[in-house]
Amino acid sequence: MATIPIPTGRLLRTPDGVDLVLTRTFRLPVEEVWAAVTESARTALWFGAWEGDGAPGRTVRVRMVFEEREPWTEMRVEACEAPHRLAVSTVDEAGSWNLELKLSGTSAGAPGAGGTELTFIQHRDTEAGLGEIGAGWEYYLDTLAASLDGMPRPVFEDYYPAQKAYFEGLTAE
């Protein structure tokens, strides 16, 4: 029997709606985690490879390799401030997605190397759909962690529907 991963998401009230916030800590330097979230060959291991010009104001195409039928989606790079902040947006049949990754150094890494805290934020105008969305982001961030640690990729079915009730029950702080 698989162990159900513990959900970590929080919901924060904003002037425009809510932010779904998830955090992970890695025992790697910020530059290493930055490479994993911005280099196409590395994003392919946990989210999907991308092609195009990854500069702010530009659009890239991302192949969602862990989604059904591995669709391509266009994402606009809103901000790319190496190695600390990446913001992207996209629109699909499910609506608008405004995503932000913030990386900061910690003392959690190997001696002398430091570690990294990654804060993932999905800026939302509504709390609708959090049951499905939150579990998906937990899965993707744990897949990122597995790719950085050289571990097997987690199994999505361990996240959804097991975490659905947790995310549906979140209230904004």
Side-chain angles (χ1 to χ4, degrees):
M1 180 178 210
T3 302
I4 297 171
I6 297 170
T8 64
R10 300 178 297 130
L11 200 59
L12 303 177
R13 178 95 29 228
T14 68
D16 299 320
V18 293
D19 283 352
L20 176 61
V21 180
L22 296 94
T23 305
R24 297 292 188 276
T25 302
F26 303 100
R27 298 179 65 89
L28 296 166
V30 169
E31 294 77 14
E32 182 71 17
V33 178
W34 179 258
V37 300
T38 59
E39 295 175 7
S40 181
R42 305 277 303 271
T43 61
L45 300 174
W46 67 275
F47 189 74
W50 61 271
E51 57 186 35
D53 181 0
R58 302 294 183 125
T59 299
V60 297
R61 286 178 16 104
V62 180
R63 183 149 193 201
M64 308 293 294
V65 295
F66 302 111
E67 298 290 329
E68 190 174 325
R69 295 183 309 279
E70 299 185 9
W72 285 91
T73 189
E74 290 189 351
M75 290 192 164
R76 178 179 165 81
V77 178
E78 303 295 342
C80 185
E81 302 161 9
H84 297 289
R85 181 173 174 259
L86 175 66
V88 297
S89 63
T90 189
V91 177
D92 65 14
E93 66 278 351
S96 297
W97 299 77
N98 295 299
L99 313 173
E100 187 172 6
L101 293 172
K102 295 180 180 180
L103 283 67
S104 59
T106 71
S107 59
T116 302
E117 180 176 272
L118 180 148
T119 302
F120 168 90
I121 306 162
Q122 182 178 7
H123 304 287
R124 301 181 49 78
D125 56 3
T126 178
E127 297 174 22
L130 285 177
E132 291 77 17
I133 294 167
W137 291 127
E138 295 278 3
Y139 167 77
Y140 276 118
L141 292 176
D142 286 351
T143 302
L144 168 61
S147 76
L148 288 168
D149 293 339
M151 302 297 291
R153 184 168 42 94
V155 177
F156 181 71
E157 288 73 20
D158 292 343
Y159 294 80
Y160 185 83
Q163 293 183 355
K164 182 177 182 180
Y166 171 86
F167 283 99
E168 287 177 341
L170 285 180
T171 55
E173 300 172 11

